Amino acid sequence: MRVDFDPEAMSGAAFFRFMTSVVVPRPIAWVSTVTPDGAVENLAPHSFFSIASTDPPIVQFTSIGRKDSLRNVEDTGEFVVNFSSEPLLHLINATATDFPRNVSEFGFAGIGREASRHVRPSRVAASPVVLECRSHTTLRMGNSTLVFGRVFLAAVHEEYIVNGRPDAERLRPLTKLGRDEWGTLGGILHLNRIPYEEPHAE
Ligand SMILES: Cc1cc2nc3c(=O)[nH]c(=O)nc-3n(C[C@H](O)[C@H](O)[C@H](O)COP(=O)(O)O)c2cc1C
């Protein structure tokens, strides 16, 4: 027997808790942005994150409500997605506190920066992979805003590359589950896609 969860009969907060427990695991975009005057560098995790288009390459994160990351992207058109890997867990969590816009999470959490090549927001120096993005579109939906960014450069620390590609076991991706749960990489299965074959004519 199934138990029904009806969004119409539940509060938004309760259904949010339900949704974030079943859409799992979610990769975490650790998004860096900067205020228009360049004075304050912002950093915040966003687990509502995905690839939106492959050609051109576009990634997407969702701001639930209007947060500093969103405001900075709207004002500057630029952001960097820093890959969230396991050794960065506590630093990432330290940047999820709701600081005022004039407080830099980089400074507060003592996070090392490096300059980006194409955009003004800094990269997280210790993040294995960074995606430098320019805003493509933003889309308001309900209480949220989807931010789509075209990737102009991906930069990977060489020790994470195996046979020309970033390697999952070396990257040690962190994910977000429900409530206060975070996930790490589980077992990896290797499986080829099965091609469609026409039935043989007799
Ligand atoms: C792992 C993790 C994932 C999160 N994902 C999101 C998300 O997808 N969207 C969102 O709006 N907030 C998300 N948050 C909360 C924001 O990181 C938090 O509100 C932060 O203070 C926003 O910072 P900002 O105001 O500097 O943008 C997440 C928090 C954590 C710890």
Side-chain angles (χ1 to χ4, degrees):
M1 211 172 91
R2 293 182 190 269
V3 176
D4 289 347
F5 291 81
D6 177 356
E8 297 298 314
M10 296 167 69
S11 71
F15 205 72
F16 168 83
R17 285 194 292 275
F18 173 81
M19 290 284 275
T20 49
S21 297
V22 293
V23 182
V24 291
R26 298 183 303 283
I28 302 165
W30 202 13
V31 176
S32 43
T33 56
V34 68
T35 48
D37 59 4
V40 186
E41 297 220 81
N42 197 88
L43 188 60
H46 289 78
S47 71
F48 290 17
F49 169 65
S50 192
I51 300 171
S53 162
T54 59
D55 188 12
I58 295 173
V59 293
Q60 174 266 320
F61 72 89
T62 297
S63 179
I64 307 160
R66 299 191 53 74
K67 298 183 175 168
D68 296 341
S69 305
L70 171 65
R71 288 199 187 92
N72 288 343
V73 174
E74 285 177 342
D75 291 348
T76 67
E78 297 181 333
F79 64 97
V80 176
V81 172
N82 302 276
F83 186 94
S84 296
S85 68
E86 210 179 319
L88 301 173
L89 170 69
H90 292 287
L91 290 179
I92 294 169
N93 196 41
T95 65
T97 299
D98 192 14
F99 296 106
R101 197 177 181 189
N102 63 355
V103 173
S104 168
E105 288 84 2
F106 276 101
F108 180 84
I111 294 169
R113 291 174 295 182
E114 66 184 32
S116 294
R117 276 181 54 189
H118 295 288
V119 296
R120 284 196 306 159
S122 296
R123 307 165 171 177
V124 173
S127 175
V129 185
V130 295
L131 307 176
E132 295 185 7
C133 302
R134 291 209 181 94
S135 178
H136 179 280
T137 317
T138 57
L139 196 57
R140 278 203 180 191
M141 203 174 284
N143 67 350
S144 299
T145 304
L146 283 69
V147 176
F148 296 85
R150 181 165 174 174
V151 180
F152 281 86
L153 183 72
V156 184
H157 282 308
E158 60 185 359
E159 59 269 30
Y160 295 91
I161 299 177
V162 176
N163 294 331
R165 279 202 317 166
D167 178 73
E169 281 182 334
R170 293 195 182 183
L171 289 172
R172 298 173 66 191
L174 262 183
T175 60
K176 193 69 181 71
L177 310 172
R179 300 171 185 269
D180 63 348
E181 300 159 340
W182 301 60
T184 56
L185 184 65
I188 297 179
L189 309 176
H190 292 267
L191 198 59
N192 287 322
R193 193 97 56 93
I194 302 166
Y196 178 73
E197 282 173 22
E198 294 287 341
H200 295 293
E202 287 295 314

